[in-house]
Amino acid sequence: MTNEEFEKQLARLPEAVALMSGLCAQLLPTPVSWDAEKMEMTMCFHTDEGVCNPVGWVHGGMIATMFDNGMGVLAGCFADGAFTPTVTLNLEYLRPTPVGEKLLLHAKIVKLGRSLIHMRGELVMESEPAKPCAMASAVFAVHKTKKV
């Protein structure tokens, strides 16, 4: 896939957002940069009090949703609009993530198959990009009978 083809797939993101509701739609990423040949993308998330746990850090479930939504966007771009439900999502929380930070998710496809897409991701604060907050691996299915 070329970057131009990838950008055409990214342009469909607002259509997918329209199908989502509530907090899940609010936790969709803003694409920052991508390299279609390397099958990788960096995305941005903004956090506020609506995603914090009782001690004021970003709730772990919200971080999981960021990985799921962000890596799902990348998977969907390489699945030509097919629905790409999550098969597995494995997370490692490495350190607390303060609310109010701009978070960057670096995601990469490590294996692009016909029916499964294997990925890895790393979430960092923009203010401290060398110190990951969380890492994840995921597998997404390519459901060709359903388009989004």
Side-chain angles (χ1 to χ4, degrees):
M1 174 181 289
T2 66
N3 276 333
E4 184 177 303
E5 293 167 328
F6 185 80
E7 289 166 10
K8 286 180 185 176
Q9 292 295 329
L10 271 182
R12 299 178 60 248
L13 188 57
E15 296 170 28
V17 172
L19 298 173
M20 301 174 89
S21 63
L23 189 56
C24 196
Q26 292 173 15
L27 287 175
L28 279 171
T30 301
V32 174
S33 64
W34 52 86
D35 186 324
E37 284 186 18
K38 292 182 179 178
M39 297 188 294
E40 58 188 31
M41 184 165 127
T42 298
M43 301 152 257
C44 174
F45 293 92
H46 296 279
T47 60
D48 61 24
E49 299 80 29
V51 299
C52 73
N53 63 21
V55 295
W57 296 328
V58 178
H59 187 282
M62 298 299 111
I63 290 173
T65 301
M66 290 177 199
F67 275 107
D68 196 22
N69 285 349
M71 294 193 320
V73 165
L74 182 58
C77 287
F78 280 88
D80 193 27
F83 180 52
T84 53
T86 310
V87 176
T88 64
L89 178 62
N90 300 298
L91 266 80
E92 292 182 57
Y93 300 99
L94 304 173
R95 64 189 185 119
T97 306
V99 169
E101 285 281 342
K102 185 176 180 182
L103 302 177
L104 298 174
L105 172 60
H106 305 291
K108 178 171 182 48
I109 295 174
V110 293
K111 183 175 186 291
L112 179 63
R114 285 181 287 151
S115 60
L116 296 174
I117 300 172
H118 296 258
M119 304 180 73
R120 298 224 188 281
E122 182 177 87
L123 189 71
V124 301
M125 292 184 291
E126 183 181 51
S127 63
E128 296 185 69
K131 296 180 178 179
C133 299
M135 297 186 318
S137 61
V139 177
F140 292 86
V142 178
H143 201 293
K144 293 185 180 185
T145 59
K146 298 230 180 210
K147 294 266 185 174
V148 288

